[in-house]
Amino acid sequence: MPIEKDDSQLLSELAPVVDENLTRHIAEADGWQPHDLVPWDQGKNFAFMGGTDWSADQSTLSDVEALALTVGVLVADNVPAYHREIAKHLALVGPWWRWVGRWTAEENRHSIVLRNYLMVTRAVDPVALERARMDEMVRGYAMPPMHLIEMLANSALEEKAAAVRHHNTAALGEDALVAVIAERLAADDELQSLFYRNIVEAAFELVPDQTMRAIASRIAAFDVPSVALPGGTDSTAVLAEAGIYDPAQQGEKVFAPLLRSWNIAGRTDLGAEGEKARDELSALL
C-alpha cells in the first residue's frame, strides 16, 4: 500500500536534506553587492532637495526594459507577503527557518538593486513607481491552500519562471548594465529553484505517489505572480506581449526542465495514484 505522510512528518524527515541543500546553496551563491551595480555618478537631487524632478525625456531605457524592471521591483519589494506565506508552511526552527531567512534576504537584495538603479538613472517616474509599490504591498499576496510538497513544487516553478523573466530581460541587450543586473538576479533565481527542486526530489524518495500528485496539481494551477502596473494594466499580459515572459511558453521554459530533473517520465516507483497523477500531468503538457 502506498505510503502517505502528513506535513508534520515530512517537515521532520526532510529537514536533513534542507540543511544539506542550504549549506550547498550558501557555498554556491555569489555574494554580490547591490551597491556595486548602481551607477551612482549619474544621480542628482529631485526638486524637494533643490534639484529637478523627473520627466520622461530623462529615461534612456526602452519601454520594455523599464517595464521589466518595474515588475521586478513590485514583485521583489512585496517580499514580506511572500515571506509570510512561505513561513507559515515551514517549521519556525531549524534548517527550514534558516532557509526562509536566507531566501527573504536574497529577494530583498533584488528589490534594493532594482529600485536604486531606477531612481539613480531616472529610468521611470519615481512617483508612479512608489504609488504602485504602496498599492502592491497593501494588496499583498495570499498563497492558495497547499500541502508542504505542493508549496515546495510551486516555489521551484515560481523561481524558475522568475529566472526566465530575468534572462529574457538581459537578452534584450539594449543596456549593458541592465543586462548584468538581470543576469545576476536570474542566477539567484536559478539557485533558489534548484534548492526547491532538490527537496521535491527527496520527497519522491519518501512518498512518490504523494509527490507526483503534488507536482501535477501545481502545474495544473500554476500562474506566475502578477502585479498591477501604473496605468492599471496587468503585468502578465504586458510581459507576454513584450516577450519577457509568455505563459504560452512556460511548458517548455519552466515545466520541462524541472520535470526532466525529477525523471517524471521514467519513474518506476509509482503506485496507482502516482500513475494516475502522471497521466494527468502528461495530458496537461
Side-chain angles (χ1 to χ4, degrees):
M1 188 172 184
I3 298 171
E4 292 283 330
K5 295 181 184 288
D6 62 28
D7 286 357
S8 178
Q9 291 173 301
L10 290 168
L11 282 168
S12 176
E13 293 183 35
L14 289 171
V17 183
V18 173
D19 197 19
E20 175 186 339
N21 275 274
L22 177 56
T23 299
R24 176 200 50 76
H25 179 92
I26 293 171
E28 294 180 9
D30 184 341
W32 61 279
Q33 299 295 319
H35 65 268
D36 286 336
L37 298 178
V38 178
W40 300 104
D41 59 347
Q42 295 182 29
K44 56 184 177 181
N45 290 341
F46 291 96
F48 185 79
M49 296 286 288
T52 304
D53 275 341
W54 182 86
S55 59
D57 63 313
Q58 294 170 359
S59 177
T60 61
L61 293 188
S62 69
D63 290 343
V64 174
E65 284 182 314
L67 165 69
L69 298 191
T70 296
V71 170
V73 170
L74 297 181
V75 171
D77 221 38
N78 206 13
V79 71
Y82 289 98
H83 172 98
R84 180 193 67 242
E85 291 298 301
I86 291 176
K88 74 183 184 183
H89 286 82
L90 305 180
L92 299 184
V93 295
W96 289 103
W97 190 235
R98 292 196 298 275
W99 164 252
V100 173
R102 174 74 191 202
W103 177 86
T104 302
E106 290 182 356
E107 290 300 307
N108 188 45
R109 184 169 58 182
H110 293 186
S111 174
I112 291 169
V113 70
L114 288 172
R115 193 170 188 278
N116 283 347
Y117 173 86
L118 291 174
M119 293 303 98
V120 167
T121 63
R122 297 185 175 228
V124 300
D125 181 349
V127 175
L129 180 64
E130 179 62 9
R131 287 173 176 167
R133 190 186 72 84
M134 294 288 286
D135 288 345
E136 185 62 25
M137 292 192 70
V138 169
R139 195 163 28 247
Y141 169 76
M143 187 180 289
M146 298 183 198
H147 289 294
L148 177 65
I149 304 176
E150 291 179 300
M151 190 281 290
L152 295 169
N154 194 72
S155 294
L157 295 168
E158 284 192 348
E159 294 300 346
K160 187 65 177 176
V164 169
R165 175 163 54 86
H166 288 129
H167 281 311
N168 286 340
T169 301
L172 294 171
E174 297 173 9
D175 183 282
L177 184 52
V178 167
V180 170
I181 292 172
E183 285 293 0
R184 182 59 270 156
L185 305 191
D188 280 0
D189 294 329
E190 294 279 13
L191 204 55
Q192 292 166 354
S193 183
L194 175 62
F195 175 91
Y196 289 114
R197 188 194 85 184
N198 288 351
I199 309 307
V200 172
E201 178 60 39
F204 263 120
E205 301 302 313
L206 296 174
V207 283
D209 281 18
Q210 204 172 331
T211 303
M212 185 65 77
R213 169 56 59 197
I215 293 169
S217 68
R218 293 325 309 160
I219 285 184
F222 184 68
D223 195 11
V224 292
S226 179
V227 297
L229 298 170
T233 54
D234 176 83
S235 63
T236 301
V238 176
L239 288 177
E241 183 179 354
I244 298 298
Y245 186 86
D246 186 353
Q249 297 180 358
Q250 64 190 9
E252 173 191 357
K253 303 293 186 181
V254 177
F255 303 157
L258 289 167
L259 295 178
R260 283 195 299 269
S261 71
W262 290 322
N263 190 27
I264 294 298
R267 300 201 74 92
T268 59
D269 54 357
L270 302 175
E273 180 60 26
E275 292 287 3
K276 180 182 177 183
R278 177 161 59 181
D279 289 343
E280 291 172 10
L281 185 53
S282 296
L284 286 172
L285 301 174

